[in-house]
Amino acid sequence: MEKKNIDWQNLGFGYVKTDYRYVSDFKDGAWDEGRLTEDATIAISECAGVFQYAQTCFEGLKAYTTEDGKIVTFRPDLNAQRMADSARRLEMPVFPEDRFVEAVAEVVKANAAYVPPYGSGATLYLRPFMIGSNPVIGVKPATEYQFRIFATPVGPYFKGGVKPLTLKVADFDRAAPNGTGNVKAGLNYAMSLHAIVTAHDEGYDENMYLDAKTHTKVEETGGANFIFVTKDKKVVTPKSNSILPSITRRSLMVVAKEYLGLEAEEREITLEEVKDFAECGLCGTAAVISPVGKIVDHGKEICFPSGMSEMGEITKKLYDTLTGIQMGRIEAPKGWIKEIL
Ligand SMILES: *Cc1c(COP(=O)(O)O)cnc(C)c1O
């Protein structure tokens, strides 16, 4: 198959229109059979539930070209499951998990010419999402929905090399104790935009959010989970029911235990103890792990020994192992890699 003429290395993280997307509509209590379409636009009522009461949730995953030239996705079944959880929390119909995984494969196949070649560092990012599509003016769930998956090629995350991030301990909250922080809802992002723009204006890369109730425990950033490495090389990650369960983070915890022979634990982590950690990283599909060099808590600086120029030792091992698994250089645990082409 002929690849598109794209400068893969210099792609950013932005929307590039590809040839096909998957669409399925929910009406009269059932999903239709679904289809691929070349139409990248959606025409719906100005009063649709998504516009009035933000009834929308989404997912994010990638397709990769492996070392031996196959096209694969990484644990799409977990995205399907998480989207089902998001839908239930937002009173939206669940798009069946097996159909989700099939639809992902269909979109990747149809856009195979946009899947960046092995070694370019670029990937095909997939964005499944669902919206309430019929008019809703009284506050209630929509009765009609659209599920859609589009694809867009994205460039290598660490383009100019790895640059550890500087974080700010946020005064804003991301998620309430019994709120929607554990589901991938657009609304969680809408209300985080002011906090991230403020952090950027002040010269920080990201916000570290604390638990909304006590402001003493570490939660996550706007779009990535934390992992920390203790001085005796134990991998720890915050436990809270208002954190979004990152698939990358859950996979890294398995990699730490099963591949690197490290202890790995999910537990409550206080802001107070962060200064004692050796390494800190942010995990998510986009970067796998971005190292954090410094966290500023109202003028008080926490500087990790790994510094501001490279990944910490364990962070690097976790990164290399997981990306090795995704790119087919390292044997994956059973069921992690779904071969598409
Ligand atoms: C999507 C997301 C993540 C990362 O999850 P992955 O499955 O690893 O991509 C982390 N935090 C938030 C708030 C997110 O929305």
Side-chain angles (χ1 to χ4, degrees):
M1 162 256 326
E2 189 86 21
K3 290 286 176 188
K4 298 282 175 180
N5 184 21
I6 293 174
D7 181 6
W8 308 107
Q9 259 92 7
N10 289 309
L11 272 174
F13 193 84
Y15 176 70
V16 174
K17 194 175 131 196
T18 53
D19 296 342
Y20 295 96
R21 62 278 303 133
Y22 179 90
V23 183
S24 180
D25 290 302
F26 182 90
K27 199 178 170 176
D28 301 325
W31 289 104
D32 68 13
E33 68 283 5
R35 64 212 166 269
L36 287 174
T37 170
E38 292 181 82
D39 189 354
T41 62
I42 304 177
I44 50 173
S45 167
E46 61 189 353
C47 196
V50 59
F51 300 136
Q52 303 314 320
Y53 304 120
Q55 214 186 1
T56 174
C57 58
F58 68 101
E59 273 302 324
L61 70 161
K62 287 172 165 182
Y64 313 82
T65 304
T66 60
E67 191 172 28
D68 57 359
K70 292 188 180 115
I71 294 176
V72 304
T73 54
F74 181 72
R75 311 189 78 179
D77 53 314
L78 296 191
N79 295 96
Q81 223 175 64
R82 192 169 64 187
M83 188 145 182
D85 291 339
S86 300
R88 281 186 281 263
R89 179 64 175 83
L90 298 170
E91 288 296 333
M92 303 170 90
V94 167
F95 191 73
E97 292 178 32
D98 53 338
R99 285 192 58 191
F100 177 108
V101 173
E102 279 166 34
V104 164
E106 269 190 61
V107 173
V108 174
K109 265 184 210 153
N111 295 296
Y114 290 93
V115 181
Y118 176 77
S120 65
T123 52
L124 187 70
Y125 184 76
L126 301 157
R127 170 53 60 88
F129 66 104
M130 195 193 294
I131 57 172
S133 54
N134 68 303
V136 172
I137 195 79
V139 177
K140 60 175 184 298
T143 52
E144 295 174 17
Y145 293 84
Q146 184 166 105
F147 171 77
R148 205 172 244 263
I149 306 177
F150 67 78
T152 180
V154 296
Y157 196 85
F158 299 112
K159 233 183 286 175
V162 172
K163 282 186 214 75
L165 307 175
T166 301
L167 272 46
K168 172 195 172 156
V169 175
D171 294 314
F172 298 103
D173 295 324
R174 189 192 84 89
N178 300 299
T180 53
N182 60 341
V183 299
K184 218 165 170 73
L187 59 90
N188 291 334
Y189 280 79
M191 59 99 229
S192 75
L193 296 176
H194 178 59
I196 191 64
V197 169
T198 304
H200 286 169
D201 285 347
E202 295 171 357
Y204 301 101
D205 298 303
E206 271 292 348
N207 281 299
M208 168 186 263
Y209 291 104
L210 302 177
D211 74 294
K213 193 171 176 185
T214 70
H215 269 231
T216 58
K217 289 174 275 188
V218 176
E219 293 249 306
E220 61 172 320
T221 67
N225 285 182
F226 280 104
I227 52 160
F228 297 97
V229 181
T230 64
K231 286 186 177 131
D232 55 356
K233 300 193 198 311
K234 203 159 144 190
V235 180
V236 290
T237 188
K239 186 183 175 83
S240 154
N241 59 13
S242 45
I243 291 176
L244 194 280
S246 157
I247 294 164
T248 313
R249 184 257 299 163
R250 285 182 272 163
S251 303
L252 286 167
M253 297 300 275
V254 175
V255 165
K257 278 189 260 195
E258 309 292 326
Y259 285 71
L260 305 180
L262 301 170
E263 266 184 71
E265 189 188 10
E266 188 182 356
R267 62 163 170 87
E268 281 193 351
I269 293 175
T270 62
L271 176 60
E272 183 53 38
E273 68 181 306
V274 169
K275 62 176 186 335
D276 300 324
F277 292 132
E279 300 175 33
C280 173
L282 300 182
C283 356
T285 295
V288 178
I289 313 180
S290 302
V292 174
K294 192 199 289 188
I295 300 174
V296 182
D297 175 17
H298 302 91
K300 220 167 54 205
E301 291 197 345
I302 300 169
C303 298
F304 294 101
S306 49
M308 295 304 293
S309 61
E310 54 186 23
M311 280 195 188
E313 179 204 340
I314 302 295
T315 305
K316 177 90 168 62
K317 279 189 185 158
L318 287 167
Y319 177 85
D320 287 344
T321 310
L322 189 57
T323 51
I325 289 170
Q326 290 169 333
M327 299 295 172
R329 295 186 296 263
I330 298 174
E331 195 179 337
K334 197 162 171 292
W336 278 24
I337 299 296
K338 180 165 165 67
E339 207 175 298
I340 291 177
L341 270 179

